[in-house]
Amino acid sequence: MSVLVAATAMHAQQMFRGGKEVDLILCDMKMPKMSGLDLFTYTRELQMNVPFILITGYAEKEKIAEAVRLGISDIILKPARHQDIIEKVRRHFSMDISLKASYRDWE
């Protein structure tokens, strides 16, 4: 597994447009010029169906409800311990592996 780092949401957009494949996106809600929800919407417009974990320090019920409605895979509230972030990422990868294994059983 490799990790790609984008300094801004616009840089992430450039990577995605350039065909960079990713298995999971971990993104902050508040970023300059574009929110994490905007980046999420952009990835879906590109038909990137990968888990998208949003990190936020703002526990605004409206924003969290919007994220859930849009289909965000998971939300991490700040301040978050490193172990909590690692565990959420690990859980999404093991879910993906389980889904792939289940699909193979049906073939």
Side-chain angles (χ1 to χ4, degrees):
M1 172 181 16
S2 61
V3 176
L4 301 174
V5 177
T8 66
M10 293 164 145
H11 182 222
Q13 283 182 318
Q14 289 173 346
M15 287 193 303
F16 300 151
R17 271 195 311 270
K20 293 282 185 186
E21 292 190 25
V22 296
D23 296 312
L24 180 137
I25 298 169
L26 181 65
C27 179
D28 203 334
M29 170 79 95
K30 279 223 178 230
M31 298 179 290
K33 299 184 182 178
M34 179 184 286
S35 75
L37 287 178
D38 293 334
L39 184 61
F40 172 77
T41 301
Y42 179 79
T43 63
R44 291 321 187 241
E45 289 169 0
L46 292 178
Q47 299 183 351
M48 294 176 64
N49 191 22
V50 299
F52 197 108
I53 301 174
L54 194 62
I55 301 176
T56 182
Y58 303 93
E60 298 174 10
K61 290 181 182 179
E62 300 83 32
K63 288 289 184 188
I64 291 174
E66 180 182 2
V68 170
R69 182 183 58 75
L70 288 172
I72 291 288
S73 306
D74 219 330
I75 297 172
I76 298 173
L77 295 177
K78 292 179 188 176
R81 298 176 318 150
H82 288 120
Q83 188 59 37
D84 295 336
I85 295 169
I86 291 167
E87 193 56 40
K88 292 244 185 192
V89 169
R90 190 175 282 146
R91 182 169 17 131
H92 281 282
F93 279 118
S94 62
M95 284 172 42
D96 185 43
I97 292 166
S98 297
L99 289 173
K100 287 178 182 173
S102 297
Y103 178 73
R104 278 196 303 269
D105 292 341
W106 287 96
E107 291 182 317

